[in-house]
Each structure stands twice: as C-alpha cells, then as structure tokens.
Amino acid sequence: MDILQVEHLTKTYGSGDTAVRALDDVSLTVGTGEFVAIIGSSGSGKSTLLHMIGGVDRPTSGTVRVSGEDVFQRSDEQLAVFRRREVGLVYQFYNLVPVLDVVENMCLPVLMDGRPVNERRLRAMLRTLGLEGREHHLPNQLSGGQQQRVAIGRALMNAPAVVLADEPTGNLDSRNSADIMELLRRSNRELGQTLVVVTHDEDVALMADRVISMEDGRVASDTRAR
Ligand code: ADP
Ligand code: MG
C-alpha cells in the first residue's frame, strides 16, 4: 500500500513580483516501509516538500494523503494533532526546548496530547539512543550528536507511521552521522516505518531504497536501488 500520495502539489511563497514557486506540480507516491532519500541543490524545494507531507504548512494547491487521509482537509487544530501522532519530524538543528531536560523533550509530543507516557517505551528508547544516565541533562549540556538523538527520540516516542527528516546529519561529524542514520534505519526496518530523508550526504542517499532528485520545485529523477 502507498502510505504517502502526493498529487499535483504546488506551493507558492509570497505574491506578485516577489512570488517564489517552491513546489511546481509535484506528484509522487511512497510505499509503506520505504526509505526514500530526497536530494537536490539548495532552494530546489526539498524542505518545502517535507513540510507539506508533514502538515507543517499548507500547500497553494494539490493534495497530500497519509494513510489514505487527506492531510489538508483537517482544521489547524486537527493538523497539530496529526503532526504529533502520525508523523515524526527531525531537523538539522535539533529544535529542542532549551529549558526542558532529555526526558521532558522526548515526551513533549505525548504530554501535549494529554496522553500518559509509556515508561517501558521511554526506557527502551533511552537505551537504544545511548542516553541512559543523561535523562535530566538540558540540551546545552549535551553534544550535537546527543541532542540529535533526543530529537529522534522525540520523533519516535509516538511510534509514528512516517518519519520525515530534513538533513538530520547536516550538522554532525561522520561518526555521529552514521550512528544517527543507523538509528533511523533500524526504526524503519523494525517497525516498518516509512522514512523520508532530505540529505546532501551521499552516504545517506546510498542507504536508501529510492532516491528522488528535486530541481526547481519539480521531481527531476526518481531512482530505485537495485
Ligand atoms: P531546499 O530545502 O531544497 O533548499 P526550500 O524548500 O527551503 O529548498 O525552498 C524552496 C524555495 O522556496 C527557495 O527559493 C526558498 O527561498 C523559498 N522559500 C522557502 N521557504 C520560504 C518562506 N517561508 N517564504 C518565502 N520563500 C520561501
Ligand atoms: Mg532545505
């Protein structure tokens, strides 16, 4: 089954002379459990595409369906719930809340949903992420690699069907990059999670089942690994 269905997606920022067409009639589908890398030069629309799939921002036209449901038929309130429960977002610069510790950052989407934290899952995640013993450290007491692990923990706490990562290794050295990708890859394989990663990193693209290349807001090529 295709968990993601993107049809004729267009996003224009601004209007008149200064309008920028960041996405220009993009259509694609992604199968459940697929690992897709999105590559392309800066400004080609990669982040915009990821934001549309994740319901972070609304498109100018076109549709996105996740698990068959039209994402943008939802109200803003429903969209916020969709982002917390159904997708996991990971960014280049971690975006942790500076005054919250490791556990609080990881549990934030669950708590914002007013749901109880699954303590067993939390313990298992802390172990998998190598964050045991750091539960009560603040983000500024952690290395970049550790902060990205917390961000991944936060994205995965709700076990979302789709994980969207925008240059998750862009700020890390090669050792930490490999570890972070290994964590995402393992979750993708073990939980059958669909993984979409925007990347400049050739090593990351080589791990993927499929590589989509963007150019000027369009899909320039779409290649499956043999
Ligand atoms: P990429 O992630 O591939 O570098 P983006 O999706 O961020 O590209 O941007 C695509 C185009 O849209 C660029 O020309 C960028 O300047 C423009 N853009 C992105 N976000 C905004 C925004 N919030 N307001 C105005 N223009 C934007
Ligand atoms: Mg980008």
Side-chain angles (χ1 to χ4, degrees), residues 11 13-14 20-23 40-49 51 57 166-167 198 200 214:
K11 176 68 176 180
Y13 291 109
V20 175
R21 183 165 285 208
L23 289 180
S41 54
S42 183
S44 58
K46 306 181 298 295
S47 294
T48 303
L49 177 59
H51 286 157
D57 194 7
D166 196 348
E167 307 198 25
V198 169
H200 276 115
M214 302 277 303

PDB file of all heavy atoms in Angstrom, residues 11 13-14 20-23 40-49 51 57 166-167 198 200 214, ligand 1:
ATOM      1  N   LYS A  11       3.372  24.881  -4.215  1.00  0.00           N
ATOM      2  CA  LYS A  11       3.459  25.831  -3.109  1.00  0.00           C
ATOM      3  C   LYS A  11       4.142  27.099  -3.598  1.00  0.00           C
ATOM      4  O   LYS A  11       5.276  27.061  -4.085  1.00  0.00           O
ATOM      5  CB  LYS A  11       4.277  25.225  -1.955  1.00  0.00           C
ATOM      6  CG  LYS A  11       4.506  26.179  -0.797  1.00  0.00           C
ATOM      7  CD  LYS A  11       3.224  26.518  -0.042  1.00  0.00           C
ATOM      8  CE  LYS A  11       3.503  27.408   1.170  1.00  0.00           C
ATOM      9  NZ  LYS A  11       2.246  27.726   1.886  1.00  0.00           N
ATOM     10  N   TYR A  13       5.309  30.855  -2.353  1.00  0.00           N
ATOM     11  CA  TYR A  13       5.505  31.769  -1.230  1.00  0.00           C
ATOM     12  C   TYR A  13       5.415  33.197  -1.749  1.00  0.00           C
ATOM     13  O   TYR A  13       5.938  33.502  -2.821  1.00  0.00           O
ATOM     14  CB  TYR A  13       6.884  31.580  -0.590  1.00  0.00           C
ATOM     15  CG  TYR A  13       7.068  30.267   0.140  1.00  0.00           C
ATOM     16  CD1 TYR A  13       7.892  29.279  -0.383  1.00  0.00           C
ATOM     17  CD2 TYR A  13       6.434  30.025   1.356  1.00  0.00           C
ATOM     18  CE1 TYR A  13       8.091  28.074   0.287  1.00  0.00           C
ATOM     19  CE2 TYR A  13       6.613  28.828   2.032  1.00  0.00           C
ATOM     20  CZ  TYR A  13       7.455  27.862   1.495  1.00  0.00           C
ATOM     21  OH  TYR A  13       7.634  26.689   2.160  1.00  0.00           O
ATOM     22  N   GLY A  14       4.791  34.086  -1.003  1.00  0.00           N
ATOM     23  CA  GLY A  14       4.690  35.493  -1.402  1.00  0.00           C
ATOM     24  C   GLY A  14       3.728  35.650  -2.564  1.00  0.00           C
ATOM     25  O   GLY A  14       3.034  34.704  -2.964  1.00  0.00           O
ATOM     26  N   VAL A  20       7.563  33.203  -5.122  1.00  0.00           N
ATOM     27  CA  VAL A  20       8.501  32.106  -5.398  1.00  0.00           C
ATOM     28  C   VAL A  20       7.700  30.804  -5.451  1.00  0.00           C
ATOM     29  O   VAL A  20       6.993  30.470  -4.497  1.00  0.00           O
ATOM     30  CB  VAL A  20       9.566  31.979  -4.281  1.00  0.00           C
ATOM     31  CG1 VAL A  20      10.451  30.751  -4.513  1.00  0.00           C
ATOM     32  CG2 VAL A  20      10.416  33.231  -4.181  1.00  0.00           C
ATOM     33  N   ARG A  21       7.799  30.107  -6.570  1.00  0.00           N
ATOM     34  CA  ARG A  21       7.116  28.821  -6.677  1.00  0.00           C
ATOM     35  C   ARG A  21       8.072  27.738  -6.171  1.00  0.00           C
ATOM     36  O   ARG A  21       8.930  27.258  -6.914  1.00  0.00           O
ATOM     37  CB  ARG A  21       6.709  28.571  -8.127  1.00  0.00           C
ATOM     38  CG  ARG A  21       5.941  27.274  -8.279  1.00  0.00           C
ATOM     39  CD  ARG A  21       5.224  27.184  -9.600  1.00  0.00           C
ATOM     40  NE  ARG A  21       4.025  28.027  -9.624  1.00  0.00           N
ATOM     41  CZ  ARG A  21       2.957  27.778 -10.370  1.00  0.00           C
ATOM     42  NH1 ARG A  21       2.928  26.738 -11.174  1.00  0.00           N
ATOM     43  NH2 ARG A  21       1.920  28.579 -10.328  1.00  0.00           N
ATOM     44  N   ALA A  22       7.946  27.393  -4.899  1.00  0.00           N
ATOM     45  CA  ALA A  22       8.873  26.454  -4.270  1.00  0.00           C
ATOM     46  C   ALA A  22       8.599  25.024  -4.706  1.00  0.00           C
ATOM     47  O   ALA A  22       9.520  24.208  -4.822  1.00  0.00           O
ATOM     48  CB  ALA A  22       8.784  26.579  -2.751  1.00  0.00           C
ATOM     49  N   LEU A  23       7.308  24.706  -4.936  1.00  0.00           N
ATOM     50  CA  LEU A  23       6.943  23.386  -5.474  1.00  0.00           C
ATOM     51  C   LEU A  23       6.050  23.625  -6.680  1.00  0.00           C
ATOM     52  O   LEU A  23       5.128  24.448  -6.627  1.00  0.00           O
ATOM     53  CB  LEU A  23       6.186  22.544  -4.448  1.00  0.00           C
ATOM     54  CG  LEU A  23       6.961  21.995  -3.258  1.00  0.00           C
ATOM     55  CD1 LEU A  23       6.020  21.182  -2.366  1.00  0.00           C
ATOM     56  CD2 LEU A  23       8.149  21.145  -3.696  1.00  0.00           C
ATOM     57  N   GLY A  40      19.051  17.260  -4.015  1.00  0.00           N
ATOM     58  CA  GLY A  40      18.838  18.394  -4.911  1.00  0.00           C
ATOM     59  C   GLY A  40      19.520  19.623  -4.360  1.00  0.00           C
ATOM     60  O   GLY A  40      19.758  19.719  -3.158  1.00  0.00           O
ATOM     61  N   SER A  41      19.806  20.573  -5.234  1.00  0.00           N
ATOM     62  CA  SER A  41      20.563  21.740  -4.799  1.00  0.00           C
ATOM     63  C   SER A  41      19.722  22.589  -3.851  1.00  0.00           C
ATOM     64  O   SER A  41      18.506  22.430  -3.747  1.00  0.00           O
ATOM     65  CB  SER A  41      21.029  22.549  -6.011  1.00  0.00           C
ATOM     66  OG  SER A  41      19.921  22.843  -6.808  1.00  0.00           O
ATOM     67  N   SER A  42      20.394  23.505  -3.186  1.00  0.00           N
ATOM     68  CA  SER A  42      19.755  24.390  -2.232  1.00  0.00           C
ATOM     69  C   SER A  42      18.688  25.220  -2.952  1.00  0.00           C
ATOM     70  O   SER A  42      18.933  25.738  -4.039  1.00  0.00           O
ATOM     71  CB  SER A  42      20.834  25.283  -1.629  1.00  0.00           C
ATOM     72  OG  SER A  42      20.279  26.102  -0.663  1.00  0.00           O
ATOM     73  N   GLY A  43      17.504  25.313  -2.365  1.00  0.00           N
ATOM     74  CA  GLY A  43      16.428  26.102  -2.970  1.00  0.00           C
ATOM     75  C   GLY A  43      15.575  25.319  -3.957  1.00  0.00           C
ATOM     76  O   GLY A  43      14.655  25.870  -4.563  1.00  0.00           O
ATOM     77  N   SER A  44      15.829  24.006  -4.108  1.00  0.00           N
ATOM     78  CA  SER A  44      15.081  23.226  -5.105  1.00  0.00           C
ATOM     79  C   SER A  44      13.707  22.775  -4.596  1.00  0.00           C
ATOM     80  O   SER A  44      12.939  22.184  -5.351  1.00  0.00           O
ATOM     81  CB  SER A  44      15.920  22.020  -5.564  1.00  0.00           C
ATOM     82  OG  SER A  44      16.268  21.200  -4.466  1.00  0.00           O
ATOM     83  N   GLY A  45      13.431  23.017  -3.308  1.00  0.00           N
ATOM     84  CA  GLY A  45      12.090  22.714  -2.800  1.00  0.00           C
ATOM     85  C   GLY A  45      12.004  21.508  -1.887  1.00  0.00           C
ATOM     86  O   GLY A  45      10.906  21.086  -1.506  1.00  0.00           O
ATOM     87  N   LYS A  46      13.154  20.976  -1.466  1.00  0.00           N
ATOM     88  CA  LYS A  46      13.173  19.751  -0.648  1.00  0.00           C
ATOM     89  C   LYS A  46      12.476  19.953   0.701  1.00  0.00           C
ATOM     90  O   LYS A  46      11.623  19.160   1.084  1.00  0.00           O
ATOM     91  CB  LYS A  46      14.637  19.299  -0.407  1.00  0.00           C
ATOM     92  CG  LYS A  46      15.453  19.120  -1.674  1.00  0.00           C
ATOM     93  CD  LYS A  46      16.866  18.653  -1.378  1.00  0.00           C
ATOM     94  CE  LYS A  46      17.700  19.620  -0.531  1.00  0.00           C
ATOM     95  NZ  LYS A  46      17.972  20.915  -1.206  1.00  0.00           N
ATOM     96  N   SER A  47      12.860  21.023   1.400  1.00  0.00           N
ATOM     97  CA  SER A  47      12.260  21.257   2.722  1.00  0.00           C
ATOM     98  C   SER A  47      10.778  21.565   2.592  1.00  0.00           C
ATOM     99  O   SER A  47       9.966  21.120   3.412  1.00  0.00           O
ATOM    100  CB  SER A  47      12.954  22.417   3.431  1.00  0.00           C
ATOM    101  OG  SER A  47      14.286  22.077   3.715  1.00  0.00           O
ATOM    102  N   THR A  48      10.426  22.311   1.564  1.00  0.00           N
ATOM    103  CA  THR A  48       9.011  22.641   1.359  1.00  0.00           C
ATOM    104  C   THR A  48       8.210  21.357   1.150  1.00  0.00           C
ATOM    105  O   THR A  48       7.137  21.188   1.741  1.00  0.00           O
ATOM    106  CB  THR A  48       8.857  23.595   0.159  1.00  0.00           C
ATOM    107  OG1 THR A  48       9.651  24.764   0.398  1.00  0.00           O
ATOM    108  CG2 THR A  48       7.413  24.001  -0.038  1.00  0.00           C
ATOM    109  N   LEU A  49       8.720  20.442   0.359  1.00  0.00           N
ATOM    110  CA  LEU A  49       8.026  19.174   0.122  1.00  0.00           C
ATOM    111  C   LEU A  49       7.838  18.410   1.436  1.00  0.00           C
ATOM    112  O   LEU A  49       6.741  17.919   1.738  1.00  0.00           O
ATOM    113  CB  LEU A  49       8.808  18.327  -0.894  1.00  0.00           C
ATOM    114  CG  LEU A  49       8.231  16.931  -1.182  1.00  0.00           C
ATOM    115  CD1 LEU A  49       6.809  17.017  -1.729  1.00  0.00           C
ATOM    116  CD2 LEU A  49       9.133  16.173  -2.174  1.00  0.00           C
ATOM    117  N   HIS A  51       7.793  19.650   4.456  1.00  0.00           N
ATOM    118  CA  HIS A  51       6.827  20.375   5.294  1.00  0.00           C
ATOM    119  C   HIS A  51       5.379  20.112   4.869  1.00  0.00           C
ATOM    120  O   HIS A  51       4.485  20.017   5.711  1.00  0.00           O
ATOM    121  CB  HIS A  51       7.103  21.879   5.255  1.00  0.00           C
ATOM    122  CG  HIS A  51       8.298  22.267   6.051  1.00  0.00           C
ATOM    123  ND1 HIS A  51       9.012  23.410   5.823  1.00  0.00           N
ATOM    124  CD2 HIS A  51       8.909  21.641   7.077  1.00  0.00           C
ATOM    125  CE1 HIS A  51      10.012  23.476   6.690  1.00  0.00           C
ATOM    126  NE2 HIS A  51       9.973  22.411   7.447  1.00  0.00           N
ATOM    127  N   ASP A  57       2.886  23.110   6.975  1.00  0.00           N
ATOM    128  CA  ASP A  57       2.391  24.298   6.285  1.00  0.00           C
ATOM    129  C   ASP A  57       1.452  23.820   5.177  1.00  0.00           C
ATOM    130  O   ASP A  57       1.582  22.691   4.713  1.00  0.00           O
ATOM    131  CB  ASP A  57       3.597  25.046   5.692  1.00  0.00           C
ATOM    132  CG  ASP A  57       3.251  26.457   5.241  1.00  0.00           C
ATOM    133  OD1 ASP A  57       2.112  26.908   5.501  1.00  0.00           O
ATOM    134  OD2 ASP A  57       4.118  27.089   4.609  1.00  0.00           O
ATOM    135  N   ASP A 166      14.828  16.286   7.866  1.00  0.00           N
ATOM    136  CA  ASP A 166      15.383  17.297   6.961  1.00  0.00           C
ATOM    137  C   ASP A 166      16.861  17.515   7.293  1.00  0.00           C
ATOM    138  O   ASP A 166      17.185  18.188   8.265  1.00  0.00           O
ATOM    139  CB  ASP A 166      14.599  18.601   7.104  1.00  0.00           C
ATOM    140  CG  ASP A 166      14.857  19.561   5.945  1.00  0.00           C
ATOM    141  OD1 ASP A 166      15.799  19.317   5.155  1.00  0.00           O
ATOM    142  OD2 ASP A 166      14.120  20.556   5.832  1.00  0.00           O
ATOM    143  N   GLU A 167      17.733  16.924   6.499  1.00  0.00           N
ATOM    144  CA  GLU A 167      19.180  16.985   6.709  1.00  0.00           C
ATOM    145  C   GLU A 167      19.568  16.665   8.156  1.00  0.00           C
ATOM    146  O   GLU A 167      20.246  17.455   8.814  1.00  0.00           O
ATOM    147  CB  GLU A 167      19.711  18.362   6.282  1.00  0.00           C
ATOM    148  CG  GLU A 167      19.262  18.672   4.854  1.00  0.00           C
ATOM    149  CD  GLU A 167      20.067  19.768   4.171  1.00  0.00           C
ATOM    150  OE1 GLU A 167      21.225  19.967   4.563  1.00  0.00           O
ATOM    151  OE2 GLU A 167      19.537  20.383   3.242  1.00  0.00           O
ATOM    152  N   VAL A 198      15.662  14.126   3.689  1.00  0.00           N
ATOM    153  CA  VAL A 198      16.302  15.103   2.808  1.00  0.00           C
ATOM    154  C   VAL A 198      17.781  15.126   3.177  1.00  0.00           C
ATOM    155  O   VAL A 198      18.129  15.211   4.364  1.00  0.00           O
ATOM    156  CB  VAL A 198      15.699  16.511   3.008  1.00  0.00           C
ATOM    157  CG1 VAL A 198      16.542  17.573   2.306  1.00  0.00           C
ATOM    158  CG2 VAL A 198      14.261  16.553   2.502  1.00  0.00           C
ATOM    159  N   HIS A 200      22.140  16.031   1.883  1.00  0.00           N
ATOM    160  CA  HIS A 200      23.223  16.389   0.964  1.00  0.00           C
ATOM    161  C   HIS A 200      24.298  15.320   1.003  1.00  0.00           C
ATOM    162  O   HIS A 200      25.281  15.386   0.269  1.00  0.00           O
ATOM    163  CB  HIS A 200      23.861  17.716   1.406  1.00  0.00           C
ATOM    164  CG  HIS A 200      23.133  18.916   0.922  1.00  0.00           C
ATOM    165  ND1 HIS A 200      22.514  19.801   1.766  1.00  0.00           N
ATOM    166  CD2 HIS A 200      22.906  19.365  -0.329  1.00  0.00           C
ATOM    167  CE1 HIS A 200      21.926  20.752   1.052  1.00  0.00           C
ATOM    168  NE2 HIS A 200      22.158  20.501  -0.216  1.00  0.00           N
ATOM    169  N   MET A 214      15.327  16.593  -6.686  1.00  0.00           N
ATOM    170  CA  MET A 214      14.480  17.770  -6.946  1.00  0.00           C
ATOM    171  C   MET A 214      15.277  18.832  -7.697  1.00  0.00           C
ATOM    172  O   MET A 214      16.480  19.001  -7.480  1.00  0.00           O
ATOM    173  CB  MET A 214      14.002  18.393  -5.626  1.00  0.00           C
ATOM    174  CG  MET A 214      13.217  17.494  -4.706  1.00  0.00           C
ATOM    175  SD  MET A 214      11.486  17.386  -5.120  1.00  0.00           S
ATOM    176  CE  MET A 214      10.982  19.101  -5.054  1.00  0.00           C
TER     177      MET A 214
HETATM  178  P1  ADP B   1      15.610  23.415  -0.166  1.00  0.00           P
HETATM  179  O1  ADP B   1      15.176  22.781   1.110  1.00  0.00           O
HETATM  180  O2  ADP B   1      15.688  22.467  -1.320  1.00  0.00           O
HETATM  181  O3  ADP B   1      16.892  24.180  -0.008  1.00  0.00           O
HETATM  182  P2  ADP B   1      13.284  25.104   0.195  1.00  0.00           P
HETATM  183  O4  ADP B   1      12.128  24.183   0.077  1.00  0.00           O
HETATM  184  O5  ADP B   1      13.674  25.534   1.541  1.00  0.00           O
HETATM  185  O6  ADP B   1      14.510  24.487  -0.608  1.00  0.00           O
HETATM  186  O7  ADP B   1      12.973  26.422  -0.641  1.00  0.00           O
HETATM  187  C1  ADP B   1      12.481  26.402  -1.964  1.00  0.00           C
HETATM  188  C2  ADP B   1      12.304  27.857  -2.429  1.00  0.00           C
HETATM  189  O8  ADP B   1      11.279  28.478  -1.662  1.00  0.00           O
HETATM  190  C3  ADP B   1      13.537  28.719  -2.254  1.00  0.00           C
HETATM  191  O9  ADP B   1      13.606  29.636  -3.323  1.00  0.00           O
HETATM  192  C4  ADP B   1      13.277  29.437  -0.947  1.00  0.00           C
HETATM  193  O10 ADP B   1      13.954  30.665  -0.910  1.00  0.00           O
HETATM  194  C5  ADP B   1      11.784  29.617  -0.973  1.00  0.00           C
HETATM  195  N1  ADP B   1      11.195  29.607   0.380  1.00  0.00           N
HETATM  196  C6  ADP B   1      11.231  28.596   1.270  1.00  0.00           C
HETATM  197  N2  ADP B   1      10.554  28.894   2.390  1.00  0.00           N
HETATM  198  C7  ADP B   1      10.076  30.154   2.207  1.00  0.00           C
HETATM  199  C8  ADP B   1       9.289  31.039   3.009  1.00  0.00           C
HETATM  200  N3  ADP B   1       8.843  30.682   4.217  1.00  0.00           N
HETATM  201  N4  ADP B   1       8.989  32.256   2.488  1.00  0.00           N
HETATM  202  C9  ADP B   1       9.416  32.611   1.275  1.00  0.00           C
HETATM  203  N5  ADP B   1      10.148  31.829   0.451  1.00  0.00           N
HETATM  204  C10 ADP B   1      10.478  30.613   0.914  1.00  0.00           C
END
